[in-house]
Every structure is written in structure tokens, then in C-alpha cells.
Amino acid sequence: MSILDIRVLGDPVLRKPTTPVAEVTDELRGLIADMFETMYAAEGIGLAAPQVGRPERIAVVDVEGKKFALINPEIVTSGSASDKAEEGCLSIPDIYGDITRPTEVTIRFIDETGEAREENGAALLGRCFQHEIDHLDGKLFIDYLSPLKRRAALSKWEKAKSEYPSYIRKVRTETPGSHNKEDAEEM
Ligand code: K1U
Ligand code: ZN
């Protein structure tokens, strides 16, 4: 398994709608395993394929131990109640915003075994399903901000983005006081 580089805001791959998966192959199961590893290393609760530069309609989610590989996910129903909560994005590090979304959604997807499934997600899980499905449609949480708040977020990002040459965020597994494999490879 490998930790993949994460693409950050400005990389066109984040704005391209994804391509539905025709067949769940071992290569895609390998990608899913790498996406989980990358998500955990980056301390996220979700990750979508475009965030690692891939065009497939695939995302991974782990919210409080509820773990899903989502292949060709779509929202089938959204509840009428909505909640406002702070969101971040692994592709826009250190930028946050309060986003209103339906509290509860039901999604339909194919899992990593090729089985068609439906799941209901409320609260943080429901929010994460929506955030990841948005990524698969080329949409980012900043698109929901008011013009004023979006301008402020983009202005903060303009200053921060130079930390990510070629719009790539390298994710490291940090072990305090010891050198990790990536450090050793750079020496
Ligand atoms: O897709 C991503 O960029 C991952 C993103 C997903 C997400 C964050 C917040 C609400 C919904 C979906 C993250 O995981 S960013 C990390 C983060 O904000 C977070 C981590 C643990 C608990 C709650 C939020
Ligand atoms: Zn995101």
C-alpha cells in the first residue's frame, strides 16, 4: 500500500466531473486501499479520487468507525432538515467555513466487492457523504460560501498555496523523534 500525494486547490483535476466505474477490478481495489491509507495519514474522514489525481467516481469515508468504499455513489434522498457546521478539505489545507447542508441523506453506491448498496447517513456521516460526492462532481465546499466569505477564503489560500508546488501536498506519516521512510528516501 502507498500514501498518495493530495492535489490542492488550483489543480484542474479537482474541478473535472469524474467517470463512472464500469467494473470493480483488483487495480481499483488497490487504489481504494491506497486512498484509505492516504486519508488516515492526512487525518481526514473522507477522500475522493480526484484529490489523488484520479478520474474515477470513487471515494472513501471513515466516520467514527463507519467505513465505506463508495463506487459510483449518488444521493437518492435528502432529508428536509438542514444543519450548519464547520467544514474543511484535505485539498484546501487550513481553510474552514460554516456550510449548511441537509442533515441526513440516503446514498446508493457499489462497494469494493461489487455489491450494490444503500446507506443512510446523518450528522457528520451524512455531511461527509455529501462532501465526497461533491468532489466527484467537481464541487468544493468553498463554492457554498457567501461571496464575501469565499473571497476571504481565497485570499487566505493565495498566501498559503506557495507551500504546495505544482498543487501537490505531500502527506507524511509523522513519528515524533524518528525518521520515517519518506525522510530516509530524501537523504
Ligand atoms: O474530502 C476531504 O477533503 C476530506 C474532508 C472531509 C470532510 C470534512 C468535514 C466535513 C465533512 C467532510 C476531511 O476529512 S477534512 C478533516 C476534517 O475536517 C475533520 C476531521 C475529523 C473530524 C471532523 C472533520
Ligand atoms: Zn474535500
Side-chain angles (χ1 to χ4, degrees):
M1 282 206 298
S2 317
I3 295 177
L4 308 172
D5 291 341
I6 295 181
R7 309 302 178 89
V8 299
L9 183 63
D11 189 321
V13 74
L14 294 175
R15 290 304 193 175
K16 281 197 193 113
T18 46
T19 307
V21 169
E23 189 191 355
V24 184
T25 60
D26 284 344
E27 196 271 326
L28 288 184
R29 279 185 273 269
L31 170 64
I32 287 166
D34 289 347
M35 286 173 64
F36 272 117
E37 194 178 4
T38 305
M39 180 190 80
Y40 293 130
E43 299 185 353
I45 55 173
L47 187 70
Q51 294 181 278
V52 293
R54 295 280 300 231
E56 294 91 348
R57 195 167 177 85
I58 295 178
V60 296
V61 165
D62 187 342
V63 174
E64 294 149 6
K66 290 186 176 165
K67 184 174 168 181
F68 303 97
L70 307 176
I71 301 169
N72 299 343
E74 54 182 324
I75 293 172
V76 286
T77 54
S78 298
S80 52
S82 49
D83 275 329
K84 191 199 256 192
E86 189 172 75
E87 270 183 46
C89 180
L90 297 178
S91 293
I92 322 176
D94 303 319
I95 308 280
Y96 302 93
D98 287 336
I99 307 296
T100 302
R101 295 190 188 263
T103 309
E104 202 170 332
V105 290
T106 302
I107 62 165
R108 186 175 295 149
F109 61 101
I110 298 167
D111 70 15
E112 66 280 16
T113 71
E115 191 187 332
R117 289 174 54 180
E118 273 192 18
E119 285 287 337
N120 192 63
L124 186 57
L125 179 61
R127 180 171 292 273
C128 193
F129 283 156
Q130 294 173 74
H131 182 112
E132 300 313 325
I133 290 171
D134 273 352
H135 271 300
L136 300 177
D137 294 329
K139 201 157 188 189
L140 301 171
F141 83 88
I142 54 169
D143 301 343
Y144 295 103
L145 295 173
S146 67
L148 195 67
K149 289 196 170 148
R150 186 181 155 99
R151 220 173 305 128
L154 290 177
S155 149
K156 192 172 173 201
W157 178 247
E158 276 306 303
K159 292 177 193 114
K161 73 178 187 189
S162 60
E163 286 177 46
Y164 307 98
S166 305
Y167 301 113
I168 285 175
R169 173 182 176 190
K170 298 269 176 200
V171 180
R172 298 265 183 259
T173 45
E174 302 281 343
T175 311
S178 72
H179 291 290
N180 61 30
K181 185 167 170 280
E182 289 89 350
D183 290 340
E185 280 166 357
E186 280 165 11
M187 291 169 75

